[in-house]
Amino acid sequence: MRIYRETDYRAMSRRGADILAAQILLRPESVLGLATGSTPVGMYRELVEKNRRGEIDFSGVRTVNLDEYVGLSPEHEQSYRYFMQRNLFDHVNIRPGATHVPDGLAEDLAGECRRYDRLIESLGGVDLQVLGMGRNGHIGFNEPGEDFPLGTHVADLAESTVSANARFFDSRDQVPRQALSMGVRTIFQARRILLMVSGREKADAVAAAFHGPVTPKVPASVLQLHAGVILVGDSDALSGL
Ligand code: GLP
């Protein structure tokens, strides 16, 4: 595992963007696994700037997102499709048909999960998967539990995740209780994983994930077993390492 310890959020965002840019330069038709949340917003901003300056070209890139809330339409301001459009896709030269997010409105959710796993397979798998981490150690919406969910699945959000994500909604009641999320196997099949963490409130989860046992009670701990993990964090988030 490679660790980049950056001074602050801005430096973390720049480092993350450099790593994604390097991936695109090395393989212009890369399949990128992308994440939402507040952590990668600065990195997406840097990527938009790099694209504007002509330093990276998204025309061959394909993307698959980690997760989507059940019941939110792509136009809903808190849907992850909307987030990706607003923070990245609308501002770079990526082909609209080349971006994929699970369909949270699918009538047959189990079928949508299977379709999503087959889609990732048909793209040849993920070259570089971006991950953030929940304060409880979740990745995507793989919440702490008794076992690791494997493929894309319907996830029940932990109460602590509902509370953490309520800041984006008008009220806690509006936070969806379920999401479609890539599973741990789906994530693990990525050739490289870029895990980004920022802020003091992530420090305990980061320490538990990398200094504790590999356990589904801390889903991110499974990353200890992946040979291609790059951890980029600010000094607050990495203070327990
Ligand atoms: C959400 C997402 C995750 C994200 C995490 C942390 O619930 N499903 O993909 O990594 O929470 O979010 P943030 O970066 O806002 O702390």
Side-chain angles (χ1 to χ4, degrees):
M1 182 168 93
R2 194 170 306 160
I3 303 179
Y4 289 96
R5 189 185 290 266
E6 306 296 342
T7 44
D8 55 18
Y9 180 79
R10 184 90 201 270
M12 178 205 69
S13 302
R14 287 192 167 153
R15 182 70 73 187
D18 284 346
I19 292 167
L20 272 176
Q23 173 65 44
I24 296 170
L25 289 172
L26 283 172
R27 187 167 189 255
E29 66 283 8
S30 286
V31 177
L32 303 179
L34 298 179
T36 55
S38 39
T39 308
V41 169
M43 175 181 71
Y44 292 143
R45 206 175 298 134
E46 297 287 336
L47 286 173
V48 169
E49 282 310 311
K50 283 179 187 294
N51 184 242
R52 205 167 275 156
R53 293 196 297 264
E55 293 168 14
I56 42 168
D57 175 15
F58 280 86
S59 63
V61 169
R62 285 85 47 81
T63 68
V64 285
N65 260 79
L66 268 178
D67 46 17
E68 178 61 286
Y69 286 118
V70 168
L72 298 196
S73 73
E75 294 77 33
H76 190 290
E77 283 186 16
Q78 295 310 328
S79 77
Y80 287 169
R81 163 55 79 179
Y82 186 92
F83 173 102
M84 290 310 303
Q85 293 300 137
R86 197 192 40 186
N87 285 291
L88 184 67
F89 300 153
D90 286 345
H91 312 293
V92 296
N93 67 326
I94 196 160
R95 287 175 297 121
T99 69
H100 305 280
V101 179
D103 178 5
L105 290 183
E107 266 179 35
D108 172 12
L109 292 173
E112 171 62 8
C113 292
R114 286 193 300 275
R115 181 195 72 82
Y116 206 68
D117 280 336
R118 281 198 303 269
L119 167 79
I120 295 170
E121 218 181 298
S122 72
L123 293 172
V126 173
D127 292 303
L128 177 63
Q129 174 69 55
V130 178
L131 291 181
M133 195 194 285
R135 290 174 219 180
N136 62 2
H138 75 230
I139 47 177
F141 273 122
N142 292 276
E143 297 281 19
E146 295 307 313
D147 44 34
F148 291 112
L150 297 177
T152 301
H153 59 285
V154 183
D156 295 321
L157 271 56
E159 281 305 313
S160 62
T161 300
V162 173
S163 300
N165 291 2
R167 69 189 194 277
F168 300 114
F169 292 81
D170 290 338
S171 74
R172 195 177 188 279
D173 294 347
Q174 291 177 12
V175 185
R177 287 343 197 225
Q178 286 190 314
L180 301 181
S181 176
M182 283 187 195
V184 167
R185 180 178 58 209
T186 333
I187 292 170
F188 227 73
Q189 283 169 343
R191 291 168 195 102
R192 285 207 176 84
I193 295 176
L194 168 60
L195 174 64
M196 303 185 69
V197 285
S198 166
R200 181 73 58 182
E201 68 276 12
K202 298 290 171 72
D204 289 347
V206 173
F210 293 104
H211 288 316
V214 174
T215 165
K217 293 184 170 46
V218 184
S221 65
V222 77
L223 299 175
Q224 291 181 37
L225 304 177
H226 193 291
V229 173
I230 307 166
L231 171 60
V232 179
D234 60 20
S235 45
D236 282 345
L238 301 187
S239 57
L241 286 192

